[in-house]
CSV table of all heavy atoms in Angstrom, one decimal:
chain,number,residue,atom,x,y,z
A,670,SER,N,37.1,-23.8,-51.1
A,670,SER,CA,36.5,-23.4,-52.4
A,670,SER,C,37.4,-22.4,-53.2
A,670,SER,O,37.1,-22.1,-54.3
A,670,SER,CB,35.1,-22.7,-52.0
A,670,SER,OG,35.4,-21.5,-51.2
A,671,THR,N,38.4,-21.8,-52.5
A,671,THR,CA,39.2,-20.8,-53.1
A,671,THR,C,40.5,-21.4,-53.7
A,671,THR,O,41.0,-21.0,-54.8
A,671,THR,CB,39.6,-19.7,-52.2
A,671,THR,OG1,38.4,-19.2,-51.6
A,671,THR,CG2,40.3,-18.6,-52.9
A,672,PHE,N,41.0,-22.3,-53.0
A,672,PHE,CA,42.2,-23.0,-53.5
A,672,PHE,C,42.0,-24.5,-53.7
A,672,PHE,O,41.1,-25.1,-53.1
A,672,PHE,CB,43.4,-22.8,-52.4
A,672,PHE,CG,43.6,-21.4,-52.1
A,672,PHE,CD1,43.1,-20.8,-50.9
A,672,PHE,CD2,44.4,-20.6,-52.9
A,672,PHE,CE1,43.3,-19.5,-50.6
A,672,PHE,CE2,44.6,-19.3,-52.6
A,672,PHE,CZ,44.1,-18.7,-51.4
A,673,ALA,N,42.8,-25.0,-54.5
A,673,ALA,CA,42.8,-26.5,-54.7
A,673,ALA,C,43.1,-27.2,-53.5
A,673,ALA,O,44.0,-26.7,-52.7
A,673,ALA,CB,43.7,-26.9,-55.9
A,674,ALA,N,42.5,-28.3,-53.2
A,674,ALA,CA,42.7,-28.9,-51.9
A,674,ALA,C,44.2,-29.4,-51.8
A,674,ALA,O,44.7,-29.4,-50.7
A,674,ALA,CB,41.8,-30.2,-51.8
A,675,SER,N,44.8,-29.7,-52.9
A,675,SER,CA,46.2,-30.2,-52.9
A,675,SER,C,47.1,-29.1,-52.6
A,675,SER,O,48.3,-29.4,-52.2
A,675,SER,CB,46.5,-30.8,-54.3
A,675,SER,OG,46.4,-29.8,-55.3
A,676,THR,N,46.7,-27.8,-52.7
A,676,THR,CA,47.7,-26.7,-52.4
A,676,THR,C,47.5,-26.1,-51.0
A,676,THR,O,48.2,-25.3,-50.6
A,676,THR,CB,47.4,-25.5,-53.4
A,676,THR,OG1,46.1,-25.0,-53.2
A,676,THR,CG2,47.6,-26.0,-54.8
A,677,VAL,N,46.5,-26.6,-50.2
A,677,VAL,CA,46.3,-26.1,-48.9
A,677,VAL,C,46.9,-27.1,-47.9
A,677,VAL,O,46.4,-28.3,-47.9
A,677,VAL,CB,44.8,-25.9,-48.6
A,677,VAL,CG1,44.7,-25.4,-47.2
A,677,VAL,CG2,44.3,-24.9,-49.6
A,678,SER,N,47.8,-26.6,-47.1
A,678,SER,CA,48.4,-27.5,-46.1
A,678,SER,C,47.4,-27.9,-45.0
A,678,SER,O,46.6,-27.0,-44.5
A,678,SER,CB,49.6,-26.8,-45.4
A,678,SER,OG,50.0,-27.5,-44.3
A,679,PRO,N,47.3,-29.1,-44.6
A,679,PRO,CA,46.4,-29.5,-43.5
A,679,PRO,C,46.7,-28.7,-42.2
A,679,PRO,O,45.9,-28.5,-41.4
A,679,PRO,CB,46.8,-31.0,-43.3
A,679,PRO,CG,47.3,-31.4,-44.6
A,679,PRO,CD,48.0,-30.3,-45.2
A,680,LEU,N,48.0,-28.3,-42.1
A,680,LEU,CA,48.3,-27.5,-40.9
A,680,LEU,C,47.6,-26.2,-40.9
A,680,LEU,O,47.2,-25.6,-39.9
A,680,LEU,CB,49.8,-27.3,-40.8
A,680,LEU,CG,50.7,-28.6,-40.5
A,680,LEU,CD1,52.2,-28.3,-40.5
A,680,LEU,CD2,50.3,-29.2,-39.1
A,681,ILE,N,47.5,-25.5,-42.1
A,681,ILE,CA,46.8,-24.2,-42.2
A,681,ILE,C,45.4,-24.4,-41.9
A,681,ILE,O,44.8,-23.6,-41.2
A,681,ILE,CB,47.0,-23.6,-43.6
A,681,ILE,CG1,48.5,-23.3,-43.9
A,681,ILE,CG2,46.2,-22.4,-43.8
A,681,ILE,CD1,48.8,-22.8,-45.3
A,682,LEU,N,44.7,-25.4,-42.4
A,682,LEU,CA,43.3,-25.6,-42.1
A,682,LEU,C,43.1,-25.8,-40.6
A,682,LEU,O,42.1,-25.3,-40.1
A,682,LEU,CB,42.8,-26.9,-42.9
A,682,LEU,CG,42.6,-26.7,-44.4
A,682,LEU,CD1,42.3,-28.0,-45.0
A,682,LEU,CD2,41.6,-25.7,-44.7
A,683,ALA,N,44.0,-26.5,-40.0
A,683,ALA,CA,43.8,-26.8,-38.6
A,683,ALA,C,44.0,-25.5,-37.8
A,683,ALA,O,43.3,-25.2,-36.8
A,683,ALA,CB,44.9,-27.8,-38.1
A,684,ALA,N,44.9,-24.6,-38.2
A,684,ALA,CA,45.1,-23.3,-37.5
A,684,ALA,C,43.9,-22.4,-37.7
A,684,ALA,O,43.5,-21.8,-36.7
A,684,ALA,CB,46.4,-22.6,-38.1
A,685,VAL,N,43.3,-22.4,-38.9
A,685,VAL,CA,42.2,-21.6,-39.1
A,685,VAL,C,41.0,-22.0,-38.3
A,685,VAL,O,40.2,-21.3,-37.7
A,685,VAL,CB,41.8,-21.6,-40.6
A,685,VAL,CG1,40.4,-20.9,-40.8
A,685,VAL,CG2,42.9,-20.8,-41.4
A,686,SER,N,40.9,-23.4,-38.1
A,686,SER,CA,39.8,-23.9,-37.3
A,686,SER,C,39.9,-23.5,-35.9
A,686,SER,O,38.9,-23.3,-35.2
A,686,SER,CB,39.8,-25.5,-37.4
A,686,SER,OG,39.6,-25.9,-38.7
A,687,VAL,N,41.1,-23.2,-35.4
A,687,VAL,CA,41.3,-22.8,-34.0
A,687,VAL,C,41.1,-21.3,-33.9
A,687,VAL,O,40.4,-20.8,-33.0
A,687,VAL,CB,42.7,-23.2,-33.5
A,687,VAL,CG1,43.0,-22.5,-32.2
A,687,VAL,CG2,42.9,-24.7,-33.5
A,688,ILE,N,41.5,-20.5,-34.9
A,688,ILE,CA,41.5,-19.1,-34.9
A,688,ILE,C,40.0,-18.6,-34.9
A,688,ILE,O,39.6,-17.7,-34.2
A,688,ILE,CB,42.3,-18.4,-36.0
A,688,ILE,CG1,43.8,-18.7,-35.7
A,688,ILE,CG2,42.1,-16.9,-36.1
A,688,ILE,CD1,44.7,-18.3,-36.9
A,689,VAL,N,39.2,-19.1,-35.8
A,689,VAL,CA,37.9,-18.6,-36.1
A,689,VAL,C,37.0,-18.6,-34.9
A,689,VAL,O,36.4,-17.6,-34.5
A,689,VAL,CB,37.2,-19.4,-37.3
A,689,VAL,CG1,35.8,-19.0,-37.4
A,689,VAL,CG2,38.0,-19.1,-38.6
A,690,PRO,N,36.9,-19.7,-34.1
A,690,PRO,CA,36.1,-19.7,-32.9
A,690,PRO,C,36.5,-18.6,-31.9
A,690,PRO,O,35.7,-18.1,-31.2
A,690,PRO,CB,36.2,-21.1,-32.3
A,690,PRO,CG,36.6,-21.9,-33.5
A,690,PRO,CD,37.4,-21.1,-34.4
A,691,LEU,N,37.8,-18.4,-31.8
A,691,LEU,CA,38.3,-17.5,-30.8
A,691,LEU,C,37.9,-16.1,-31.2
A,691,LEU,O,37.6,-15.2,-30.3
A,691,LEU,CB,39.9,-17.5,-30.7
A,691,LEU,CG,40.4,-18.8,-30.1
A,691,LEU,CD1,42.0,-18.8,-30.1
A,691,LEU,CD2,39.9,-18.9,-28.6
A,692,THR,N,37.8,-15.7,-32.5
A,692,THR,CA,37.5,-14.4,-32.9
A,692,THR,C,36.0,-14.1,-32.8
A,692,THR,O,35.6,-13.0,-32.9
A,692,THR,CB,38.0,-14.1,-34.3
A,692,THR,OG1,37.4,-15.1,-35.2
A,692,THR,CG2,39.5,-14.2,-34.4
A,693,THR,N,35.2,-15.1,-32.7
A,693,THR,CA,33.7,-14.9,-32.7
A,693,THR,C,33.2,-15.3,-31.3
A,693,THR,O,32.0,-15.4,-31.2
A,693,THR,CB,33.1,-15.8,-33.8
A,693,THR,OG1,33.4,-17.2,-33.5
A,693,THR,CG2,33.5,-15.4,-35.1
A,694,ALA,N,34.0,-15.5,-30.3
A,694,ALA,CA,33.5,-16.0,-29.0
A,694,ALA,C,32.8,-14.8,-28.3
A,694,ALA,O,33.1,-13.6,-28.5
A,694,ALA,CB,34.7,-16.4,-28.1
A,695,THR,N,31.8,-15.1,-27.5
A,695,THR,CA,31.0,-14.1,-26.8
A,695,THR,C,31.8,-13.6,-25.6
A,695,THR,O,32.5,-14.3,-24.9
A,695,THR,CB,29.7,-14.8,-26.2
A,695,THR,OG1,29.0,-15.3,-27.3
A,695,THR,CG2,28.9,-13.7,-25.4
A,696,LYS,N,31.8,-12.3,-25.4
A,696,LYS,CA,32.6,-11.6,-24.4
A,696,LYS,C,32.0,-12.0,-23.0
A,696,LYS,O,30.8,-12.0,-22.8
A,696,LYS,CB,32.5,-10.1,-24.5
A,696,LYS,CG,33.4,-9.4,-23.5
A,696,LYS,CD,33.3,-7.9,-23.7
A,696,LYS,CE,34.1,-7.1,-22.7
A,696,LYS,NZ,34.1,-5.7,-22.9
A,697,PRO,N,32.8,-12.4,-22.1
A,697,PRO,CA,32.3,-12.8,-20.7
A,697,PRO,C,31.6,-11.7,-20.1
A,697,PRO,O,31.9,-10.5,-20.3
A,697,PRO,CB,33.6,-13.2,-20.0
A,697,PRO,CG,34.6,-13.4,-21.0
A,697,PRO,CD,34.3,-12.6,-22.2
A,698,THR,N,30.6,-12.0,-19.2
A,698,THR,CA,29.9,-11.0,-18.5
A,698,THR,C,30.8,-10.2,-17.5
A,698,THR,O,31.6,-10.9,-16.8
A,698,THR,CB,28.7,-11.6,-17.7
A,698,THR,OG1,27.9,-12.3,-18.6
A,698,THR,CG2,27.9,-10.6,-17.0
A,699,ASP,N,30.6,-8.9,-17.5
A,699,ASP,CA,31.5,-8.1,-16.6
A,699,ASP,C,31.0,-8.4,-15.2
A,699,ASP,O,29.8,-8.1,-14.8
A,699,ASP,CB,31.3,-6.6,-17.0
A,699,ASP,CG,32.2,-5.7,-16.1
A,699,ASP,OD1,32.7,-6.2,-15.1
A,699,ASP,OD2,32.3,-4.6,-16.5
A,700,PRO,N,31.8,-8.9,-14.3
A,700,PRO,CA,31.4,-9.2,-12.9
A,700,PRO,C,30.9,-8.0,-12.2
A,700,PRO,O,30.1,-8.1,-11.2
A,700,PRO,CB,32.7,-9.8,-12.3
A,700,PRO,CG,33.8,-9.3,-13.1
A,700,PRO,CD,33.3,-9.2,-14.5
A,701,THR,N,31.4,-6.8,-12.5
A,701,THR,CA,31.0,-5.6,-11.8
A,701,THR,C,29.5,-5.2,-12.1
A,701,THR,O,28.8,-4.6,-11.3
A,701,THR,CB,31.9,-4.4,-12.2
A,701,THR,OG1,31.8,-4.1,-13.6
A,701,THR,CG2,33.3,-4.6,-11.9
A,702,LEU,N,29.1,-5.6,-13.3
A,702,LEU,CA,27.7,-5.4,-13.7
A,702,LEU,C,26.8,-6.3,-12.9
A,702,LEU,O,25.7,-6.0,-12.5
A,702,LEU,CB,27.5,-5.6,-15.2
A,702,LEU,CG,28.2,-4.6,-16.1
A,702,LEU,CD1,27.9,-4.9,-17.5
A,702,LEU,CD2,27.8,-3.1,-15.8
A,703,VAL,N,27.2,-7.5,-12.7
A,703,VAL,CA,26.4,-8.5,-11.9
A,703,VAL,C,26.2,-8.0,-10.5
A,703,VAL,O,25.1,-8.1,-9.9
A,703,VAL,CB,27.1,-9.9,-12.0
A,703,VAL,CG1,26.3,-10.9,-11.1
A,703,VAL,CG2,27.2,-10.4,-13.4
A,704,SER,N,27.3,-7.5,-9.9
A,704,SER,CA,27.2,-7.1,-8.5
A,704,SER,C,26.4,-5.9,-8.3
A,704,SER,O,25.9,-5.6,-7.2
A,704,SER,CB,28.6,-6.8,-7.9
A,704,SER,OG,29.2,-5.7,-8.6
A,705,ALA,N,26.1,-5.1,-9.4
A,705,ALA,CA,25.3,-3.9,-9.3
A,705,ALA,C,23.8,-4.1,-9.6
A,705,ALA,O,23.0,-3.2,-9.6
A,705,ALA,CB,25.8,-2.9,-10.3
A,706,GLN,N,23.4,-5.4,-9.8
A,706,GLN,CA,22.0,-5.6,-10.1
A,706,GLN,C,21.2,-5.3,-8.8
A,706,GLN,O,21.5,-5.6,-7.7
A,706,GLN,CB,21.8,-7.1,-10.4
A,706,GLN,CG,22.3,-7.5,-11.8
A,706,GLN,CD,22.2,-8.9,-12.1
A,706,GLN,OE1,21.8,-9.7,-11.2
A,706,GLN,NE2,22.4,-9.3,-13.3
A,707,ALA,N,20.1,-4.6,-9.0
A,707,ALA,CA,19.3,-4.1,-7.9
A,707,ALA,C,17.8,-4.5,-8.0
A,707,ALA,O,17.4,-5.0,-9.1
A,707,ALA,CB,19.3,-2.6,-7.9
A,708,GLY,N,17.1,-4.4,-6.9
A,708,GLY,CA,15.7,-4.7,-6.9
A,708,GLY,C,15.0,-3.8,-5.8
A,708,GLY,O,15.7,-3.2,-5.0
A,709,THR,N,13.7,-3.8,-5.8
A,709,THR,CA,13.0,-3.0,-4.8
A,709,THR,C,12.0,-3.8,-4.0
A,709,THR,O,11.6,-4.8,-4.4
A,709,THR,CB,12.2,-1.8,-5.5
A,709,THR,OG1,11.3,-2.4,-6.4
A,709,THR,CG2,13.1,-0.9,-6.3
A,710,SER,N,11.8,-3.3,-2.8
A,710,SER,CA,10.8,-3.9,-1.9
A,710,SER,C,10.0,-2.7,-1.3
A,710,SER,O,10.5,-1.6,-1.1
A,710,SER,CB,11.5,-4.6,-0.7
A,710,SER,OG,12.3,-5.7,-1.2
A,711,SER,N,8.7,-3.0,-1.1
A,711,SER,CA,7.8,-2.0,-0.7
A,711,SER,C,7.2,-2.4,0.7
A,711,SER,O,6.8,-3.5,0.9
A,711,SER,CB,6.6,-1.8,-1.7
A,711,SER,OG,5.8,-0.7,-1.2
């Protein structure tokens, strides 16, 4: 929408398609937090 389609290289579009998902990916769960999960018994 910003540039004319004829001025944008297909290679740039492909690179952006790869970069965007990486920058918005969910951070993996910290394994140390999983091991610290606790519960109680009476």
Side-chain angles (χ1 to χ4, degrees):
S670 63
T671 307
F672 303 100
S675 60
T676 62
V677 179
S678 168
L680 292 177
I681 295 178
L682 286 174
V685 171
S686 298
V687 172
I688 293 172
V689 171
L691 290 177
T692 58
T693 59
T695 302
K696 184 179 179 180
T698 302
D699 185 345
T701 62
L702 296 179
V703 174
S704 64
Q706 290 178 347
T709 60
S710 298
S711 183

